[in-house]
């Protein structure tokens, strides 16, 4: 009950102390006594310090925020599930009530209430609290502290803003002569006798604007509510198809919001067309299997939520909702395709098809000029149409758990705030720099016959934080259109035949924004490729895909390079130097072998041995990763400069670097550790060096692994 509020705990304990002994073992009376104290939080002397603190914060709120906050008093504070707030639904209730006019404005107010501490944001992972929404199995929910909620209810009762009945409240006193005659907004909670409401002469619901029913409330008659704007019947199992037909006939004049989530209805009646002013329709988690044609007559509909229903197709008549519809949520349904008429919804901002059987998007998707969020998570979509690049206002594209690994390069015309969620990661992938500039400079016309793309997911590598511009096909040299229109790219992936010409290397070296470069060679280079000591000032990640990486770095080459990766297959062994000790900023070297060849193949092993030897001469501590299919070996190689350093570094030699929190460590299984001699001795002390490898059976996506708890293991194995 405290939730980090000791003042609330002290005051409530003090208020209850005098009455608990008198009530004996009667739990119902104890519960009612607690509710009485909560309802009287502004009047009970022992609660005065708490009330004063809450009043101080409340009075400092702007008037519009006080109004929105008082509306939250309709939520049930004593049930851990029903007092949770679903953000989207509350925001749209505010809109339907007329407190705010637009969703964006309401979202801003909701965020402000979070920042001021009145609404608490929580993350859940399988029922356990987490600190951030950083897991694919997590979800976010919101709630108001029970004591704050009791305070709001007292204020709401005083201003006759929201009337709450049921669930431990004194129903008799609630309907006494002292109660307000006009009920503006009514929240009925589980257990309230509805017949008591209908027979009461002290309450008039003919002017009620909002009716929220929480839980099982049976026998409710809607013909008494003449001016209802908001009707939310979530999880009311007494609600059936015949009741819904009556609602459509009796509340057709003013109803703006209709929430039927979790009820037992199996179809929407034809009378739904009578709700001419309906703006928000929630029918998620019901048994409905189709939307009636009459849906086209709801011209003012802004939100259509059919999540977790049996709907298998959207009707063609949905195009008639083009004037106002902003949110269409069809997640967790049996929908397999979108009708071409979807392109008519010019005002649509959010489209969710998560966990459906949709296989492809129609080209008409590009006509949704105002779309901001597109959720395709866990669908059957494999690729996106080029027309998706027309969605200039798109901010979030979720293609996690799909087979989408590339975006059409036309996506470069999207705004700088555009982000993609891909693979299994919750980290956003942003578009590379330079694509939008090419589109502006008429590059689209010149490249209209070339299928260019932006890679957002590396199947074999770690998650990307920035998309990589891919050039299709195999080229003798870097194409002219790249040099003319894509000079300012930040990420580039290109396949060459068998060599990198000097003039091409000069062009790459002078690209001002290049941070990631992927060079693929179709055939084994006949001569060593020498990376010169000029240019590449911004390059941080360099990947070479070749049979054997016949490449050498000159002193001073690629001064900002941090990550070097080789993907190779098989070739003749060679002990030619690579020159990684010339890469002054280098931290990580990765060898990624084809699944048909292992790192023990002669040509591959020889190159790895050369790099290991050079890594010992590097001034930095190099993390070396060798990946054979699903197996991975990781070595931490550190240069020893003197016998003194060897003695002082014995506690860390062979221990892996980490940039992760201990809580994020992945489970691993280590094999019995063996010394792998890299050949040669330390140039200063003459002592032979030993590289200790640790094998990870499962594929690890982290870059540098493990934490301080492995230090003891490392010390023991070193000694």
């Amino acid at each position: 009950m405290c939730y980090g509020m000791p003042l609330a705990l002290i005051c409530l304990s003090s208020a209850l102390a005098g009455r608990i002994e008198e009530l004996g073992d009667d739990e119902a009376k104890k519960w009612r006594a607690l509710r009485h104290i909560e309802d009287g939080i502004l009047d009970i002397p022992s609660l005065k310090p708490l009330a004063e603190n809450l009043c101080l914060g409340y009075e400092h709120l702007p008037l519009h925020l006080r109004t929105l906050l008082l509306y939250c008093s309709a939520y049930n504070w004593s049930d851990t599930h029903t007092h949770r707030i679903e953000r989207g639904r509350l925001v749209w209730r505010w809109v339907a009530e007329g407190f705010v006019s637009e969703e964006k404005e309401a979202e801003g107010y909701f965020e402000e209430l979070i920042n001021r501490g009145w609404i608490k944001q929580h993350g859940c992972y399988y029922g356990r609290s987490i600190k951030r929404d950083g897991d694919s199995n997590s979800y976010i929910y919101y709630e108001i502290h029970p004591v704050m909620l009791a305070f709001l209810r007292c204020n709401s009762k005083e201003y006759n803003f929201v009337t709450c009945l049921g669930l431990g409240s004194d129903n008799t006193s609630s309907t006494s002569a002292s109660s307000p005659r006009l009920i503006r907004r009514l929240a009925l909670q589980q257990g309230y006798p509805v017949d008591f409401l209908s027979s009461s002469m002290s309450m008039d619901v003919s002017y009620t604007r909002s009716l929220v029913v929480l839980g099982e409330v049976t026998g409710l008659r809607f013909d008494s509510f003449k001016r209802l704007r908001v009707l939310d019947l979530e999880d009311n199992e007494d609600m059936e198809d015949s009741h819904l037909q009556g609602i459509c006939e009796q509340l057709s004049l003013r109803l703006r919001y209709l929430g039927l989530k979790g009820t037992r209805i199996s179809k929407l009646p034809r009378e739904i067309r009578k709700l001419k002013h309906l703006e928000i329709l929630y029918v998620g988690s019901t048994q409905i299997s189709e939307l009636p044609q009459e849906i086209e007559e709801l011209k003012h509909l802004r939100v259509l939520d059919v999540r977790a229903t049996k709907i298998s197709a959207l009707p063609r008549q949905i195009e008639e909702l083009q004037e106002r519809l902003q949110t269409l949520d069809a997640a967790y349904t049996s929908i397999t395709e979108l009708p071409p008429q979807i392109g008519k919804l010019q005002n649509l901002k959010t489209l969710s098809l998560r966990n459906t059987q949709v296989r492809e998007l129609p080209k008409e998707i590009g006509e949704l000029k105002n779309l901001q969020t597109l959720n395709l998570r866990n669908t059957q979509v494999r690729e996106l149409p080029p027309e998706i690049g027309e969605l200039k206002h798109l901010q979030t594209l979720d293609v996690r758990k799909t087979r989408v690994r590339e975006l059409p390069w036309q996506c470069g015309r999207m705004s700088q705030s555009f982000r993609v969620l891909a693979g299994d990661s919750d980290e956003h992938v942003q578009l590379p720099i330079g694509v939008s500039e090419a589109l502006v400079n008429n590059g689209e016309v010149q490249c209209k016959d070339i299928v260019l793309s932006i890679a957002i997911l590396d199947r074999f590598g770690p998650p990307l934080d920035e998309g990589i511009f891919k050039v299709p096909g195999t080229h003798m040299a870097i194409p002219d259109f790249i040099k003319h229109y894509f000079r300012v790219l930040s990420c580039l992936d290109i396949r060459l035949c068998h060599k990198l010409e000097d003039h091409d290397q000069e062009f790459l070296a002078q690209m001002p924004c290049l941070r990631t470069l992927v060079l693929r060679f179709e055939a084994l280079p006949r001569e060593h490729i020498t990376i010169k000591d000029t240019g590449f000032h911004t390059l941080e990640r360099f990947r070479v895909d070749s049979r054997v990486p016949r490449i050498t770095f000159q002193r001073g080459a690629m001064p900002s390079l941090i990550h070097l990766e080789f993907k190779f297959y098989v070739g003749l062994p060679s002990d030619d130097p690579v020159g990684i000790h010339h890469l002054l900023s280098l931290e990580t070297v990765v060898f990624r072998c084809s699944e048909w060849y292992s790192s023990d193949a002669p040509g591959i092993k020889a190159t790895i041995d050369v790099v290991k030897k050079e890594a010992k001469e590097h001034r930095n501590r190099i993390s070396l990763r060798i990946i054979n299919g699903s197996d991975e070996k990781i070595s931490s190689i550190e240069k020893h400069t003197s016998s003194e350093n060897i003695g002082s570094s014995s506690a860390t030699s062979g221990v892996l670097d980490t940039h992760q929190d201990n809580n994020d460590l992945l489970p691993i299984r280590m094999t019995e550790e063996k010394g792998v001699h890299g050949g040669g001795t330390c140039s200063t002390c003459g002592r032979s060096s030993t590289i200790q490898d640790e094998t990870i059976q499962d594929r690890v996506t982290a870059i540098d692994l493990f934490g301080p708890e492995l230090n003891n293991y490392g010390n023991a194995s070193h000694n």
Side-chain angles (χ1 to χ4, degrees):
M1 196 67 184
C2 176
Y3 291 90
M5 293 181 63
L7 179 61
L9 186 62
I10 294 171
C11 292
L12 289 175
S13 299
S14 176
L16 278 172
R19 300 198 59 188
I20 289 297
E21 294 183 2
E22 302 175 3
L23 299 177
D25 297 329
D26 192 331
E27 295 297 327
K29 290 183 178 179
K30 289 181 180 180
W31 175 254
R32 183 158 297 186
L34 177 61
R35 179 58 186 268
H36 176 72
I37 290 173
E38 295 279 0
D39 286 344
I41 193 171
L42 299 179
D43 303 320
I44 298 176
S46 57
L47 297 180
K48 186 177 180 181
L50 177 60
E52 288 177 348
N53 278 275
L54 292 175
C55 284
L56 183 63
Y58 180 77
E59 293 297 331
H60 276 77
L61 290 175
L63 183 59
H64 62 277
L65 288 184
R66 289 187 228 170
T67 301
L68 300 178
L69 195 56
L70 280 184
Y71 190 80
C72 297
S73 63
Y75 282 90
N76 179 7
W77 60 270
S78 59
D79 189 304
T80 56
H81 295 288
T82 55
H83 80 268
R84 290 182 179 178
I85 298 173
E86 189 174 326
R87 178 171 181 158
R89 295 176 67 196
L90 178 60
V91 162
W92 281 110
R93 278 193 203 170
W94 288 344
V95 174
E97 281 276 1
F99 299 144
V100 291
S101 58
E102 294 295 334
E103 178 193 17
K104 184 177 181 180
E105 181 185 8
E107 286 281 0
Y109 293 151
F110 190 96
E111 198 66 35
E112 190 171 353
L113 289 175
I114 293 176
N115 296 335
R116 290 175 178 264
W118 285 96
I119 296 178
K120 184 72 173 177
Q121 176 177 298
H122 296 281
C124 267
Y125 176 73
Y126 291 128
R128 293 183 284 109
S129 177
I130 59 175
K131 293 183 179 180
R132 66 184 188 276
D133 186 24
D135 192 281
S136 58
N137 294 312
S138 66
Y139 65 93
I140 292 295
Y141 70 91
Y142 305 87
E143 65 180 0
I144 298 179
H145 190 282
V147 175
M148 289 183 174
L149 202 49
F151 169 79
L152 293 176
R153 283 194 166 176
C154 286
N155 279 277
S156 183
K157 183 178 180 180
E158 180 180 349
Y159 297 121
N160 189 24
F161 193 78
V162 177
T163 301
C164 302
L165 300 176
L167 205 68
S169 64
D170 189 341
N171 298 318
T172 304
S173 62
S174 296
T175 57
S176 63
S178 60
S179 297
R181 185 168 183 81
L182 296 179
I183 305 298
R184 301 183 183 279
R185 297 169 187 87
L186 180 61
L188 295 179
Q189 298 171 3
Q190 184 173 359
Y192 185 80
V194 177
D195 55 345
F196 198 74
L197 174 64
S198 59
S199 62
S200 173
M201 301 299 296
S202 59
M203 289 192 294
D204 183 1
V205 296
S206 61
Y207 288 88
T208 301
R209 294 166 56 91
S210 179
L211 174 60
V212 178
V213 179
L214 302 173
E216 193 65 24
V217 177
T218 60
L220 193 61
R221 295 182 57 184
F222 298 101
D223 55 354
S224 302
F225 299 88
K226 305 296 185 182
R227 293 173 171 79
L228 210 59
R229 294 171 63 102
V230 174
L231 176 59
D232 197 338
L233 303 170
E234 180 179 359
D235 296 327
N236 191 322
E237 295 186 0
D238 186 55
M239 187 69 186
E240 297 180 352
D241 294 342
S242 58
H243 298 137
L244 180 56
Q245 183 176 348
I247 289 174
C248 295
E249 293 176 347
Q250 298 164 9
L251 305 178
S252 60
L253 294 179
R254 293 179 173 83
L255 196 63
R256 303 284 197 277
Y257 180 108
L258 179 57
L260 302 170
K261 180 182 177 183
T263 60
R264 297 172 59 184
I265 65 169
S266 60
K267 65 177 182 179
L268 293 178
R270 299 182 60 183
E271 287 76 10
I272 193 77
R273 66 180 185 275
K274 296 183 179 181
L275 302 179
K276 300 295 186 181
H277 301 284
L278 192 66
E279 297 181 1
I280 299 99
L281 177 59
Y282 280 99
V283 292
S285 301
T286 62
Q287 301 300 311
I288 67 172
S289 57
E290 63 177 357
L291 292 174
Q293 296 182 3
E294 289 74 15
I295 198 79
E296 66 181 356
E297 299 189 34
L298 304 181
K299 302 296 186 181
H300 290 83
L301 199 63
R302 295 190 185 189
V303 177
L304 178 57
D305 189 325
V306 295
R307 284 177 291 175
T309 61
K310 298 180 179 180
I311 290 177
S312 58
L314 295 175
R316 293 183 176 182
Q317 291 78 9
I318 199 169
E319 66 179 333
E320 299 298 330
L321 305 179
Q322 57 183 300
E323 294 183 9
R324 301 289 298 275
L325 192 65
Q326 299 179 19
T327 300
L328 176 57
D329 193 340
Y332 297 94
T333 62
S334 301
I335 290 177
T336 58
E337 63 179 0
L338 289 177
Q341 290 79 9
I342 195 74
K344 300 293 185 179
L345 304 178
Q346 295 295 307
N347 290 305
L348 196 66
K349 295 181 179 179
T350 302
L351 175 59
S352 178
L353 300 171
R354 177 178 177 176
N355 285 77
T356 63
Q357 299 302 311
V358 172
R359 295 184 175 274
E360 63 179 356
L361 298 179
K363 63 180 182 180
E364 289 80 7
I365 196 76
E367 299 175 13
L368 303 178
K369 304 300 184 182
N370 292 298
L371 194 65
Q372 298 177 3
T373 301
L374 178 57
N375 191 342
L376 302 174
R377 181 175 180 176
N378 203 20
T379 62
Q380 304 299 313
V381 176
R382 293 173 175 265
E383 62 179 348
L384 301 175
E387 289 79 10
I388 200 169
E390 301 293 335
L391 306 179
K392 298 181 181 180
H393 295 285
L394 193 64
Q395 297 180 1
T396 302
L397 173 63
D398 191 342
V399 290
R400 287 175 292 180
K401 297 185 182 298
T402 68
R403 297 190 179 184
V404 176
R405 294 189 174 91
E406 298 177 1
L407 300 180
W409 78 287
Q410 290 88 346
C411 289
R413 62 166 58 92
M414 295 180 181
S415 65
Q416 291 297 319
S417 60
F418 174 66
R419 295 294 183 270
V420 183
L421 289 164
D424 295 325
S425 174
D426 285 313
E427 299 298 326
H428 289 83
V429 181
Q430 63 182 11
L431 293 180
I433 298 174
V435 181
S436 60
E437 288 79 356
L439 289 165
V440 171
N441 295 326
N442 205 32
E444 184 175 13
V445 175
Q446 300 298 325
C447 307
K448 63 180 180 180
D449 297 327
I450 305 174
V451 185
L452 302 171
S453 64
I454 300 172
I456 55 173
L457 183 65
D458 185 354
R459 180 178 178 184
F460 302 104
L464 301 176
D465 56 3
E466 185 176 19
I468 301 178
F469 186 81
K470 293 188 67 174
V471 182
T474 303
H475 305 270
M476 294 295 295
I478 295 178
D480 289 339
F481 71 85
I482 294 291
K483 296 180 180 180
H484 290 161
Y485 299 106
F486 297 94
R487 187 176 179 275
V488 294
L489 279 175
S490 60
C491 303
L492 176 62
D493 183 341
I494 188 170
R495 181 179 294 274
L496 302 174
C497 284
H498 56 81
K499 64 179 178 179
L500 178 65
E501 300 287 356
D502 289 343
H503 60 86
D504 286 339
Q505 182 179 162
E506 182 180 355
F507 167 75
L508 294 174
Q510 298 304 319
M511 292 179 70
C513 303
L514 191 63
R515 292 195 294 262
T516 300
L517 175 62
V518 181
L519 286 182
R520 307 180 190 272
F521 294 96
E522 186 70 19
L524 180 66
R526 299 174 182 175
E527 300 178 356
H528 265 71
I529 298 172
T530 301
I531 303 299
K532 300 178 181 179
D533 58 353
T534 57
F536 294 110
H537 296 297
T538 60
L539 192 67
E540 298 177 353
R541 302 176 67 88
F542 182 34
R543 296 174 58 185
V544 180
D545 183 346
S546 177
R547 293 180 179 274
V548 173
R550 304 184 67 179
I551 191 167
T552 302
F553 298 93
Q554 289 186 351
R555 182 183 299 275
M558 298 183 174
S560 301
L561 191 69
I562 298 174
H563 180 92
L564 175 62
E565 183 170 336
F566 299 105
K567 182 180 179 182
F568 51 5
Y569 309 89
V570 68
L572 297 175
S574 172
D575 58 356
D576 293 332
V578 177
I580 68 166
H581 54 289
H582 293 153
L583 304 173
L584 302 182
S585 301
L586 190 64
E587 297 178 0
T588 305
V589 179
V590 177
F591 290 101
R592 197 178 299 276
C593 304
S594 168
E595 57 182 324
W596 294 284
Y597 305 99
S598 69
S599 58
D600 294 333
I604 297 175
K605 185 177 184 300
T607 305
I608 293 177
D609 289 341
V610 170
V611 171
K612 283 183 177 180
K613 183 177 180 179
E614 293 181 351
K616 298 172 190 175
E617 303 174 5
H618 203 287
R619 67 177 186 178
N620 299 336
R621 184 174 184 172
I622 303 299
S623 175
L624 178 64
R625 300 171 57 192
I626 303 173
I627 303 173
N628 292 312
S630 60
D631 294 334
E632 180 172 356
K633 292 183 179 180
I634 304 177
S635 301
S636 180
I637 305 177
E638 187 172 9
K639 176 180 179 181
H640 301 308
T641 56
S642 68
S643 58
E644 215 172 278
N645 285 344
I646 293 174
S648 62
S649 66
S650 62
T652 59
S653 179
V655 181
L656 304 175
D657 289 335
T658 176
H659 298 291
Q660 298 181 341
D661 297 333
N662 296 338
N663 295 332
D664 295 333
L665 295 178
L666 297 174
I668 64 169
R669 183 173 61 196
M670 294 187 179
T671 61
E672 181 178 355
E673 192 158 324
K674 299 179 181 179
V676 181
H677 295 279
T681 59
C682 179
S683 59
T684 304
C685 64
R687 179 176 175 178
S688 61
S689 300
T690 299
I691 303 171
Q692 296 181 345
D693 294 341
E694 294 157 345
T695 301
I696 298 178
Q697 302 298 333
D698 297 320
R699 180 172 177 268
V700 180
T701 57
I703 295 178
D704 286 324
L705 306 175
F706 313 134
E709 58 267 15
L710 292 183
N711 283 347
N712 294 334
Y713 181 85
N715 295 341
S717 60
H718 181 79
N719 293 333

